[in-house]
Each structure stands twice: as structure tokens, then as C-alpha cells.
Amino acid sequence: MIRLRAREPGTQSTHHNLLFRYGTNRFDPFSGRDMIVFVQIQNAGANFFEKHIIENLNVVEKSLCVCTKKNGRKQNCRCHSDNTILRTGDTPWLFSRLSGGWACGVHAGWTQLVGCVDRVLDEVSGEPRRRRYLYITFLREPVRRFRSEWLRFVEQRETRPSRVLCGSREHALPDVQECFKGVEPAEVTLEEFALCKDNLALNRQTRMLADLRLVNCYDGSINQTQRDMILLHSAKTNLHHMAFFGIAEFPNISQRMFEAAFGVQFRSRPRHRFNRLSSYLKRSPISSNTWSAQTEATVRQVNHLDMQLYEYGKELLFERFHHLFKEGPREDEDPDWADGDDFFMDR
């Protein structure tokens, strides 16, 4: 059993290191104090893994979450410490899109969640409580992730908040639409999408995992080179300190690491939920003649922070996996596992 670092008495720590030594300080969804907080980065596989946790976590005979459905799709799930009662004010053990309904904002990043989760849960419980927050997230190969977000933009299916709370005050967000006034989204190429400086899809993984308060959030007063260096270092630090992180191209390794970190088992392996994306891309006129070596190079260049963060995360994941299981990645991994995350989620 991997031991999770507990909150020190009298502190307001919001995330915990994954410690590679055996102990008894295991995750307990029934304790009323353990809370998994999911930083769900767009198009990175987080939605798939969230559903995997809700549907297939083998902790008790019946599901830990009770979900309502609309048109056959899960709309809201109550993942509480006692699903036999489900009283108002019961303590949830999972804070995520399906279980919380974007209570801290749509696809809230690390900074938003740290400043919001405790307050939201105190309001739910009706009183302040001491909790152990266990932050988790998923990374995805940046070029694949960026292309998936572009496809959502082209289909006009992207939900983008105009303002966000950061550093105790609201900040106006850049709007990618400013780059394409008078242009239909379906006509925007991937390279044009990548070259828009107001595009929050750029280096999204780094920005969502970094402490934005270190760079005055979104006011842009810090030199860009210095800002990039601070954000990347902060994102790496927060990733390292999370109770768990997975990588979309390695779903089986990620699942085994989750099971080891939390002392739980899944009923099944993570499966490729949607196999339609590849055929959709082949049929779609918007994707024809838009994916060249030059375009890929451009996407890599403008997402240089995410490229560095991904390589760091992959190296760290493999190092931890080898330390625990004395083996490396196997050939049965599914690099296309996250294809369609968000893109087909509401179809």
C-alpha cells in the first residue's frame, strides 16, 4: 500500500505527495474526510477516467456513486460517503464534473480549485470540516490534445467562460473569437487556430496545473519568458505533489498507479469508449489537407510548455511505475484511448 501524506495539523494544505513507502494511511471513501479532487483538463482523457472511477471502482459490492441520466447519458452523480442514505449534507468523496457539476467553474484549473473546493464543501455540509484533499489529473500528448480542442472549436461545441476567479478577484479571459471575427469556425484551419495568441488552448495543461497567482493570474504584466518559466516550474511541482496523475497514452499503467496510490481495485481495465473519432476525421472535410509536418511543427512550437510538462510527467510516471512494479511500459497500451474525450462526450 502506498502511503499518502496527510494534512499537517493546523494547516490548509490542499494536495498531498505520493510517498513510495508502505503504510496504513489509505484512502477511505467512507471516512467523510477523504476527498479526491479531479483537475479535468479539456480533451486529455479526464472525462473518460472520471466515468471509469464512477462506474468501475470495486470498493463495495454496489456502486459508490448514484447517477441520474437524461437520454441515456449520465448527467449528475452523487458520490457520497454513505450511498445507502444520501442525506443532504453528506460528505462526497469525489469532486469532479459529474459529481459536482463544475461547482468551481467549467474545467476549473488547480488555482481555481484550491481557492474554491473547501468553501463549496463547507456550504454543502453546512459547517467547516477538516478534510484531506487528494488532487488527481490526466495529461495527454500535447499535439493530439490540441487538435482535439481545435475540432471542438470548429464544430462550435466549446464552452468558454468569459471571466474566472483567480487570486481572490475576477479576471477577464482572452477570447479566441477575437482572432476570427467574420470567419466561420468551420473555415479555421488547425494552423490558424494555433497561431491565435488569444487562444487559451495554447499550453492549456501547463496553465491549468500551475499556480497562476505566482504570475498575477491573467493580467500579463510579467515578461513572457519569465512568466513561462514560472508557470512551467509551478505546473511540474504541482504535478509531482499530486496524489495521482495519469497519462492518456498509457491507460493501463495509469490505472495500476491509481489502484496502488489509493489501495483500491477496478472491476475492469480502462477501455476505448469511442472508436468513431478516426473514421470521423477521415470523412470530415475540415480535417483534410490540414495535418502536415509543418502544421505539427507549429503546434509543437506554440505549445512548448505543454511539450516539456508532458515529457516530465511521462518520465516521472515511468519512474514511479518501475519503482513499484519493477517493470516498464508494455505493448498492450492504447495510445488512442483518449480520442474523442470531450469531443464525443455529449453526442
Side-chain angles (χ1 to χ4, degrees):
M1 188 73 61
I2 298 174
R3 189 175 181 181
L4 297 169
R5 180 179 296 169
R7 181 189 299 190
E8 297 296 331
T11 68
Q12 295 298 318
S13 176
T14 55
H15 60 273
H16 305 274
N17 269 331
L18 189 63
L19 300 185
F20 291 94
R21 62 173 181 265
Y22 291 92
T24 59
N25 195 16
R26 63 175 295 170
F27 165 69
D28 182 2
F30 305 107
S31 67
R33 71 183 184 96
D34 282 352
M35 167 66 65
I36 294 177
V37 181
F38 207 152
V39 184
Q40 292 176 268
I41 300 170
Q42 289 97 313
N43 307 91
N47 287 339
F48 285 177
F49 200 75
E50 175 197 25
K51 284 199 170 188
H52 191 42
I53 291 174
I54 288 173
E55 295 173 354
N56 299 315
L57 202 59
N58 190 21
V59 179
V60 291
E61 289 185 2
K62 60 181 178 179
S63 175
L64 279 172
C65 301
V66 176
C67 302
T68 59
K69 292 186 177 182
K70 183 178 181 180
N71 297 326
R73 296 184 177 90
K74 287 184 175 63
Q75 296 294 308
N76 183 268
C77 298
R78 298 189 66 184
C79 301
H80 286 235
S81 57
D82 187 355
N83 273 332
T84 62
I85 302 175
L86 285 178
R87 298 181 298 265
T88 300
D90 278 350
T91 302
W93 57 267
L94 176 64
F95 194 95
S96 66
R97 176 183 68 103
L98 287 176
S99 66
W102 299 133
C104 291
V106 177
H107 284 289
W110 186 93
T111 307
Q112 290 171 269
L113 290 168
V114 165
C116 168
V117 172
D118 215 34
R119 172 180 54 80
V120 168
L121 294 178
D122 284 348
E123 291 175 357
V124 170
S125 63
E127 61 180 1
R129 294 183 183 178
R130 182 176 294 277
R131 304 178 185 89
R132 182 170 64 156
Y133 293 114
L134 306 169
Y135 277 60
I136 68 173
T137 196
F138 250 79
L139 296 179
R140 188 181 182 191
E141 195 282 317
V143 175
R144 285 171 172 261
R145 195 214 66 80
F146 188 82
R147 189 189 192 198
S148 184
E149 188 162 348
W150 163 68
L151 287 170
R152 282 187 63 85
F153 171 80
V154 166
E155 283 213 335
Q156 303 181 57
R157 291 162 20 84
E158 189 68 76
T159 301
R160 296 176 180 271
S162 60
R163 304 185 69 83
V164 67
L165 188 66
C166 177
S168 301
R169 67 185 183 90
E170 278 196 344
H171 294 259
L173 294 178
D175 186 358
V176 68
Q177 297 285 359
E178 292 295 316
C179 291
F180 308 114
K181 286 184 176 180
V183 179
E184 288 295 321
E187 298 175 2
V188 176
T189 67
L190 177 59
E191 188 161 8
E192 290 170 339
F193 188 69
L195 293 175
C196 174
K197 296 186 182 300
D198 289 327
N199 191 352
L200 289 177
L202 301 173
N203 295 303
R204 183 181 291 281
Q205 297 181 96
T206 301
R207 189 178 63 257
M208 287 189 65
L209 296 184
D211 185 350
L212 298 181
R213 296 168 297 185
L214 298 174
V215 293
N216 297 326
C217 298
Y218 291 90
D219 68 4
S221 61
I222 298 178
N223 172 274
Q224 188 63 49
T225 300
Q226 184 181 6
R227 179 185 175 88
D228 287 351
M229 181 178 65
I230 293 172
L231 287 177
L232 182 59
H233 181 267
S234 176
K236 287 181 177 180
T237 299
N238 288 339
L239 188 71
H240 184 89
H241 287 167
M242 285 188 172
F244 159 82
F245 73 90
I247 292 182
E249 285 71 35
F250 303 94
N252 296 315
I253 285 180
S254 298
Q255 172 168 312
R256 291 177 67 184
M257 289 298 294
F258 184 94
E259 291 173 334
F262 291 99
V264 296
Q265 296 288 321
F266 285 92
R267 296 186 180 92
S268 63
R269 297 172 69 179
R271 59 190 176 90
H272 197 141
R273 284 181 171 270
F274 298 106
N275 295 309
R276 294 177 288 171
L277 184 60
S278 296
S279 59
Y280 173 85
L281 293 177
K282 291 176 182 177
R283 298 193 312 268
S284 175
I286 64 172
S287 61
S288 60
N289 302 318
T290 58
W291 190 248
S292 64
Q294 179 181 346
T295 298
E296 180 172 350
T298 299
V299 172
R300 288 179 179 275
Q301 181 180 359
V302 297
N303 287 285
H304 62 102
L305 298 181
D306 275 7
M307 296 300 299
Q308 295 176 72
L309 178 66
Y310 179 78
E311 290 304 317
Y312 170 81
K314 189 164 61 171
E315 181 179 343
L316 182 60
L317 182 70
F318 290 168
E319 177 184 307
R320 291 178 171 181
F321 184 78
H322 178 74
H323 181 89
L324 287 174
F325 301 105
K326 310 304 180 188
E327 59 182 277
R330 300 186 303 186
E331 294 183 358
D332 62 348
E333 291 293 346
D334 182 1
D336 299 323
W337 172 75
D339 278 357
D341 182 28
D342 281 342
F343 191 67
F344 285 116
M345 189 56 66
D346 55 358
R347 283 177 177 254

